[in-house]
Amino acid sequence: MDDYRRVADLIREHGNVVAFTGSGISVESGIPTFRGGQGLWEKYDPMEYAHIDAFRRNPEKVWNMLREMANVIFAANPSPAHRALAELENRGLLNAVITQNVDGLHQTAGSRNVIEYHGNHRRLVCVGCSGKIDFTESEARQIPYPICERCLAPLKPDVVFFGEAIPMVEMVRANEEARRCKVMFVIGTSGVVYPAADLPFLAKSSGATIVEINLEETPFTSSISNFFFAGSASTVLPAILELIGT
Ligand code: OAD
């Protein structure tokens, strides 16, 4: 509990927090992680289902997984952890959430400055003309897959597939926030996917205190984390918020 209090004091005094989040923060919302036991990549080989070349070769096959993912995301609600981060921003203590997640749940919880490093699954982009539309249940129902009304090419969720670049604007904004913050929460991420996993290292080398929350240790834990809270994000974050007080 001493460490909880130290982190709460640090945040109350300095604010200037950035949260870097991964799929662990959405587990309590009913969305499985990518790696480990129930992970999506245990069921689907990412090179066959999440690489842009695989999508171009066989959109129908990849859409079988995307439709399943969409149904899970459309049914999900924010977790107590998503809400705690929105509340910290409301109180003027948190500058930004940089998320690797594509579920849009930070915004649903009320976070405003959200940098979606890997895109958003609630939007579709045309692989032919790059036009974008909202992804609703009606597109998810289209068989064999939704196509662009303008150029008839396949549509795909506007998320970063393996083999695609991180959107430049998000990358620049994320680097700036990581460099500027005094405290970085690193929440529910295995820290193995780059360049996203560079961000905590950038924050640390720019002087930030790293506060990691995860069920298990990661490559960050022994290298850069000043605090490691072993536990669920939806338990740890509300507890810290309560200690910060109003
Ligand atoms: P991973 O599945 O690699 O890691 C999830 C992490 O969340 C693990 O370290 C778990 O221990 C932790 N975790 C699980 N439940 C938790 C809970 N309730 N509270 C806190 N932590 C919990 O997911 P990411 O690190 O997000 O990329 O994966 C990174 C990227 O790999 C994703 O953005 C995705 C994937 O390929 C793209 O789609 C481009």
Side-chain angles (χ1 to χ4, degrees), residues 8 12 87-88 90-93 238-246:
R12 198 179 320 103
E87 178 60 23
L88 270 181
N90 259 341
R91 295 188 193 176
L93 297 170
I240 293 174
L241 191 66
E242 199 176 323
L243 287 172
I244 293 171
T246 45

Side-chain angles (χ1 to χ4, degrees), residues 22-24 27-28 33-35 41 100-101 118 160 162 188-191 193 213-216 218 231-233:
S23 60
V27 165
E28 263 92 14
T33 58
F34 291 94
R35 297 171 183 79
W41 299 155
Q100 299 165 85
N101 301 342
H118 288 159
V160 177
F162 289 105
T189 177
S190 59
V193 174
I213 304 169
N214 200 309
L215 298 183
E216 57 193 27
T218 71
S232 162

Side-chain angles (χ1 to χ4, degrees), residues 86-195:
E87 178 60 23
L88 270 181
E89 184 181 5
N90 259 341
R91 295 188 193 176
L93 297 170
L94 180 141
N95 305 337
V97 175
I98 306 168
T99 189
Q100 299 165 85
N101 301 342
V102 296
D103 53 36
L105 288 176
H106 285 296
Q107 293 91 325
T108 312
S111 287
R112 292 182 300 272
N113 192 19
V114 181
I115 301 169
E116 295 182 308
Y117 207 79
H118 288 159
N120 191 315
H121 208 271
R122 295 177 194 249
R123 215 168 37 231
L124 294 174
V125 59
C126 172
V127 295
C129 69
S130 303
K132 296 189 186 189
I133 60 166
D134 284 344
F135 182 8
T136 66
E137 280 163 33
S138 107
E139 283 79 31
R141 278 196 296 271
Q142 287 174 31
I143 301 293
Y145 48 80
I147 54 168
C148 177
E149 281 185 1
R150 248 190 334 209
C151 75
L152 305 181
L155 293 168
K156 75 179 247 306
D158 192 13
V159 303
V160 177
F161 276 40
F162 289 105
E164 290 189 300
I166 305 299
M168 188 56 84
V169 172
E170 277 69 22
M171 196 158 179
V172 169
R173 282 177 66 207
N175 286 346
E176 265 170 25
E177 296 289 359
R179 251 189 232 109
R180 264 206 321 239
C181 67
K182 276 276 163 253
V183 176
M184 179 180 268
F185 275 121
V186 177
I187 306 165
T189 177
S190 59
V192 297
V193 174
Y194 284 83

